[in-house]
Amino acid sequence: MNIPNTLSLTRILLIPFIAIFLIQGYIKISLILFIVSSITDFLDGFFARRLQQFTDLGKLLDPLCVKLLILCLFSVFLCIDTIPLWYYLTLLIKECISILAYFQIRGIHNPMDISPTRASKWLTFVNMVIIILVYLTKLNFQLFVSLKPLFILSFLLSIYTFIQYSNLWIMLIEKHEQNHS
């Protein structure tokens, strides 16, 4: 097990603790663990590039960690009435379909290297900003910005990235069918 993959697995292991502390009302501890998780996200990419330790497992774990963390936190935020249901459902449906499509296409086209698009990186960034702002509101910080425009931006980016990846998935399936006909 290399350093980047160990860091990714650490992120996955942190997710239930982040959620449990948040649910139990230990907002600061949950936020600290979220920050640690975010730092390991940066570090796993840094070490993978620096040490040239790119693996198929790492290519799977890194985006999966981000999706699991975001879905888990937004699930908790929904339960504690911090985010709107329409936003959560959009995110949940998009991510579930994305994960299922990834595994279906990976079964057809192995090894598969799908790099994140610029829009998907922006989507992740916006979602992380939303998470931080929700934490700050739970810690009684007075925000001078409404979350609604961020929810709308995230919604639009979700739709856009879903279309981008859907086109890529269709192209890979068509390529597979052409190669096997």
Side-chain angles (χ1 to χ4, degrees), residues 26-76:
Y26 298 104
I27 311 298
K28 289 179 185 175
I29 295 171
S30 179
L31 176 58
I32 290 167
L33 292 177
F34 170 75
I35 291 168
V36 168
S37 177
S38 299
I39 291 169
T40 63
D41 183 23
F42 167 77
L43 289 175
D44 78 5
F46 172 79
F47 284 120
R49 286 185 296 277
R50 182 73 156 201
L51 303 173
Q52 294 296 306
Q53 293 183 340
F54 300 102
T55 64
D56 286 339
L57 178 61
K59 290 175 186 173
L60 171 69
L61 282 179
D62 188 52
L64 186 62
C65 290
V66 173
K67 290 180 184 309
L68 289 174
L69 177 64
I70 289 172
L71 284 175
C72 182
L73 281 173
F74 284 157
S75 296
V76 173

Side-chain angles (χ1 to χ4, degrees), residues 82-83 129-130 133-134 137 143 145-152:
T82 316
I83 63 169
V129 169
I130 290 170
L133 291 175
V134 168
T137 61
L143 298 181
V145 44
S146 169
L147 291 176
K148 190 171 185 177
L150 291 173
F151 290 139
I152 293 169

Side-chain angles (χ1 to χ4, degrees), residues 58-137:
K59 290 175 186 173
L60 171 69
L61 282 179
D62 188 52
L64 186 62
C65 290
V66 173
K67 290 180 184 309
L68 289 174
L69 177 64
I70 289 172
L71 284 175
C72 182
L73 281 173
F74 284 157
S75 296
V76 173
F77 291 158
L78 179 68
C79 290
I80 60 176
D81 293 324
T82 316
I83 63 169
L85 179 62
W86 66 266
Y87 172 72
Y88 174 77
L89 290 176
T90 302
L91 185 74
L92 179 67
I93 291 167
K94 182 247 182 203
E95 294 302 345
C96 288
I97 291 171
S98 297
I99 290 168
L100 291 172
Y102 175 86
F103 284 111
Q104 178 190 14
I105 291 169
R106 184 157 176 93
I108 297 171
H109 192 280
N110 194 12
M112 185 175 75
D113 186 15
I114 297 180
S115 299
T117 64
R118 181 170 289 152
S120 71
K121 288 184 178 193
W122 274 105
L123 174 59
T124 299
F125 174 77
V126 170
N127 285 334
M128 293 300 185
V129 169
I130 290 170
I131 289 169
I132 290 168
L133 291 175
V134 168
Y135 269 114
L136 291 176
T137 61

Side-chain angles (χ1 to χ4, degrees), residues 11-21 72:
R11 273 193 293 161
I12 289 174
L13 293 173
L14 284 174
I15 293 171
F17 294 101
I18 294 169
I20 289 167
F21 283 120
C72 182

